Amino acid sequence: MRPVNLIPPEDRRGDQAPLRTGPLVYIVIGALVAVLAGVTMLVLTGNQISASKDELAKLKREDAVASVRAARLSAYTQFQAASEQRVATVQSLADSRFDWERVLRELSLVLPSDVSLSELNASSSGAEGEGGGSLGGITGPSLEMTGCAAGQNGVAGFVLALKDIDGVTRVGVQSSEDMSEGGKSNSSECAVGGATTQFVLVVAFDAAPVPPAEGEGEVAPEAAPEAAQAASSETSESSGG
């Protein structure tokens, strides 16, 4: 005789019981998936933040090492700069030396017999002759002379003669006064030898180099020794290490 299950299907338990479904199951599963996704994103974000912090720390360490190295090597840069500046200063001074001995020798050769000089002033920088008389600003060495000549024609001839001196760019007449006219006294040295005209001339050498102003291009005395000492110390440390 076959057994017969008299329990209604909805009340049965076990493998033969029908599955119960509803919206609660899907809600729970969705919540679990959302929680899992959130945890995954949190872990990934945390890992990225940690990696960024490690990279930042590494860059800071490298920057600190580079800064220390740059500070130690700056002594070489300072020493090189000081050396180049001193070489440039010496070269500038050498180039700016003006050969006054040659100029005066040539002046004695071109000086006419009817012209005499009573005063002679030289300037190497050109500052003293700026804006003087018929000449504009003098940018190079200049020579200012006072003397006497036999008339205005003598002064004009002397001006032309001065232009034959090597390096002369301009000759300006500051003044040229005939002491025998207008009742003027001719008691000065111009009364000697028949000279009647007193003149003041400025000879410009604009193309000649000008020496640097005082203090220009100078290097602090302690700069180079300190740099050299630091460079020497750095070399010793490198050799010893």
Side-chain angles (χ1 to χ4, degrees):
M1 182 175 181
R2 292 183 60 186
V4 178
N5 192 350
L6 300 177
I7 301 174
E10 63 273 9
D11 295 332
R12 294 175 184 177
R13 297 290 184 269
D15 295 337
Q16 302 298 326
L19 296 177
R20 295 182 177 180
T21 59
L24 181 60
V25 176
Y26 297 104
I27 293 175
V28 172
I29 294 175
L32 292 176
V33 172
V35 171
L36 180 60
V39 172
T40 302
M41 291 295 296
L42 183 62
V43 171
L44 293 177
T45 304
N47 291 338
Q48 291 179 354
I49 293 175
S50 178
S52 299
K53 287 183 177 179
D54 293 341
E55 183 69 18
L56 179 61
K58 179 182 177 181
L59 292 176
K60 286 184 177 180
R61 289 193 299 269
E62 292 178 354
D63 180 67
V65 172
S67 298
V68 172
R69 180 175 177 81
R72 296 175 68 181
L73 294 178
S74 63
Y76 294 100
T77 304
Q78 294 175 1
F79 180 76
Q80 179 68 17
S83 177
E84 292 178 353
Q85 191 172 16
R86 288 189 172 184
V87 170
T89 301
V90 172
Q91 185 66 38
S92 175
L93 291 175
D95 293 340
S96 63
R97 289 177 180 171
F98 191 68
D99 194 354
W100 288 111
E101 187 273 336
R102 175 191 58 81
V103 171
L104 295 179
R105 184 174 65 253
E106 293 186 19
L107 174 62
S108 66
L109 295 176
V110 301
L111 184 67
S113 58
D114 59 348
V115 174
S116 61
L117 299 180
S118 58
E119 187 175 351
L120 196 63
N121 296 315
S123 172
S124 297
S125 63
E128 296 180 5
E130 289 184 356
S134 60
L135 292 183
I138 299 178
T139 58
S142 62
L143 192 64
E144 181 178 340
M145 57 188 70
T146 302
C148 300
Q152 299 292 354
N153 290 334
V155 176
F158 185 37
V159 170
L160 293 177
L162 289 174
K163 293 182 179 180
D164 291 334
I165 298 177
D166 188 24
V168 173
T169 56
R170 297 179 290 166
V171 178
V173 180
Q174 297 281 69
S175 64
S176 180
E177 189 174 10
D178 193 341
M179 304 302 295
S180 63
E181 295 180 355
K184 296 179 180 178
S185 174
N186 195 16
S187 59
S188 65
E189 63 275 7
C190 290
V192 180
T196 58
T197 304
Q198 188 174 30
F199 61 82
V200 178
L201 303 180
V202 177
V203 182
F205 301 84
D206 295 304
V210 179
E214 184 177 355
E216 180 181 348
E218 295 183 354
V219 182
E222 67 277 2
E226 288 182 358
Q229 184 178 2
S232 177
S233 176
E234 173 66 16
T235 305
S236 301
E237 291 178 2
S238 301
S239 302

